[in-house]
Amino acid sequence: MLIREATTEDWPAIWPFFHTIAAAGETFTYPLDLSFEDSRAWWLLPEPNRTVVAVDETTGTVLGTAKMNRNHLGNSAHIASASYMVDPAHGGRGVGRALAEYTVDWARRSGYLAMQFNAVVASNEHAVKLYERLGFTVIGTVPDGFRHPVHGYVGLHIMHRTL
Amino acid sequence: MLIREATTEDWPAIWPFFHTIAAAGETFTYPLDLSFEDSRAWWLLPEPNRTVVAVDETTGTVLGTAKMNRNHLGNSAHIASASYMVDPAHGGRGVGRALAEYTVDWARRSGYLAMQFNAVVASNEHAVKLYERLGFTVIGTVPDGFRHPVHGYVGLHIMHRTL
């Protein structure tokens, strides 16, 4: 698996699973009906933020993507954030973990002192466990912060780690 | 004290204390060097979000201002947020409290189920106490989340209340 800079040329490969994941409304606090173009602008971030794709080195297939960005401004600008999407067709082979590790390294190399995820859906246990394995802890939970289409209201975690 | 809709005509009256507070960098996670125009775009929010001013009913003087907005999108769109600035020259007469109560009422009337403040500087004890009196609780604190120009790194609280 190779992780490289995402470009607008990658968007047609990202869009199908981005759209599936966003429209399902189970794991992101995004509008559920973002268009092809709006999603692209939403996900592909300009410098100094970054977006990457994880690709299969043999086939070039896009397996997943991550965006990484400053979380706060001003005197909290030392805190980064990141988001990840993995094509469900390519789950279970460590793509999410590789992307998450990449973003932690990016944040550290960029001089950030910490990372904070603002909205981790509590019922997304796979993500919560992955982040915990990477050193993040839940520092707070917005009670009933997310209206899950299947589970109803669930908590919305704020997760954090120092770098 | 009257609380009414803020317009661009109010900005010259808001800007002096907005700028003083933002540039001090002690209580907001905003860029410290926002220009007159950028600050105006930052603070005066379009519908369905709102910005109001608290004015002295006799003199018309702007005493403080509040903006209120959706905090999250998609399946977390039931959570509102708000921010407040009071002219230090008019502190101690309940302007902050009146503005905060106004925004809680607005959020409730607008159908939000909760309010969440994402970044309350822990050393801003006046604000923390005010919010607690209004029913908010600290649901988490980003450790060293804010680099205070006097106190150094302090926590950044996430505060929440249901409506």
Side-chain angles (χ1 to χ4, degrees):
Chain A
M1 184 188 329
L2 171 77
I3 296 179
R4 63 161 173 79
E5 216 71 26
T7 71
T8 52
E9 284 72 48
D10 293 312
W11 189 249
I14 298 171
W15 163 251
F17 64 87
F18 179 101
H19 177 63
T20 299
I21 292 168
E26 299 191 343
T27 52
F28 280 83
T29 59
Y30 291 179
L32 276 65
D33 56 354
L34 279 175
S35 70
F36 180 93
E37 289 79 12
D38 288 348
S39 299
R40 186 176 56 198
W42 191 282
W43 194 263
L44 299 181
L45 303 179
E47 291 279 350
N49 300 319
R50 282 186 68 204
T51 304
V52 294
V53 283
V55 298
D56 183 299
E57 279 178 289
T58 310
T59 63
T61 306
V62 173
L63 310 171
T65 177
K67 68 179 171 77
M68 51 211 100
N69 55 281
R70 180 159 289 168
N71 197 332
H72 299 279
L73 298 166
N75 284 337
S76 294
H78 56 288
I79 306 173
S81 195
S83 306
Y84 318 98
M85 285 202 185
V86 175
D87 186 342
H90 300 290
R93 54 190 272 190
V95 178
R97 177 164 188 139
L99 287 167
E101 287 176 343
Y102 185 97
T103 63
V104 171
D105 287 343
W106 167 83
R108 190 186 289 114
R109 279 184 286 111
S110 303
Y112 290 102
L113 303 183
M115 287 186 77
Q116 177 190 347
F117 300 140
N118 303 317
V120 181
V121 178
S123 57
N124 188 2
E125 293 175 15
H126 177 76
V128 174
K129 279 179 191 161
L130 169 61
Y131 302 155
E132 286 178 339
R133 278 199 299 271
L134 290 174
F136 288 80
T137 55
V138 174
I139 60 168
T141 303
V142 182
D144 293 339
F146 187 82
R147 191 163 61 89
H148 191 286
V150 177
H151 306 305
Y153 286 100
V154 296
L156 198 58
H157 292 321
I158 297 109
M159 299 188 73
H160 174 272
R161 66 157 288 180
T162 50
L163 297 174
Chain B
M1 186 187 329
L2 171 75
I3 295 179
R4 62 160 173 80
E5 215 68 30
T7 71
T8 52
E9 283 70 50
D10 292 312
W11 189 249
I14 298 170
W15 162 252
F17 65 87
F18 179 101
H19 177 64
T20 298
I21 292 167
E26 298 190 344
T27 52
F28 281 82
T29 58
Y30 291 178
L32 277 65
D33 55 353
L34 279 175
S35 70
F36 180 92
E37 289 80 11
D38 288 348
S39 298
R40 186 175 57 198
W42 192 281
W43 194 262
L44 299 182
L45 302 180
E47 291 278 350
N49 300 318
R50 282 185 68 204
T51 304
V52 295
V53 283
V55 298
D56 183 299
E57 279 177 289
T58 312
T59 62
T61 305
V62 173
L63 310 171
T65 177
K67 67 179 171 76
M68 52 213 97
N69 56 282
R70 180 157 289 166
N71 197 333
H72 299 279
L73 298 166
N75 284 337
S76 294
H78 56 287
I79 307 172
S81 194
S83 305
Y84 318 98
M85 283 200 185
V86 176
D87 186 342
H90 300 289
R93 55 190 271 191
V95 178
R97 177 164 189 137
L99 287 168
E101 286 175 345
Y102 185 96
T103 62
V104 171
D105 288 343
W106 167 84
R108 190 185 289 111
R109 281 184 287 107
S110 303
Y112 289 102
L113 302 183
M115 288 187 76
Q116 177 190 347
F117 300 140
N118 303 319
V120 181
V121 178
S123 57
N124 188 1
E125 292 175 17
H126 177 76
V128 174
K129 279 180 191 159
L130 169 61
Y131 302 154
E132 285 177 340
R133 278 199 301 270
L134 291 173
F136 288 82
T137 56
V138 174
I139 59 168
T141 302
V142 182
D144 294 338
F146 187 83
R147 191 164 60 89
H148 191 287
V150 177
H151 305 305
Y153 285 100
V154 297
L156 198 59
H157 292 322
I158 296 110
M159 299 189 72
H160 174 272
R161 70 155 286 179
T162 51
L163 297 174

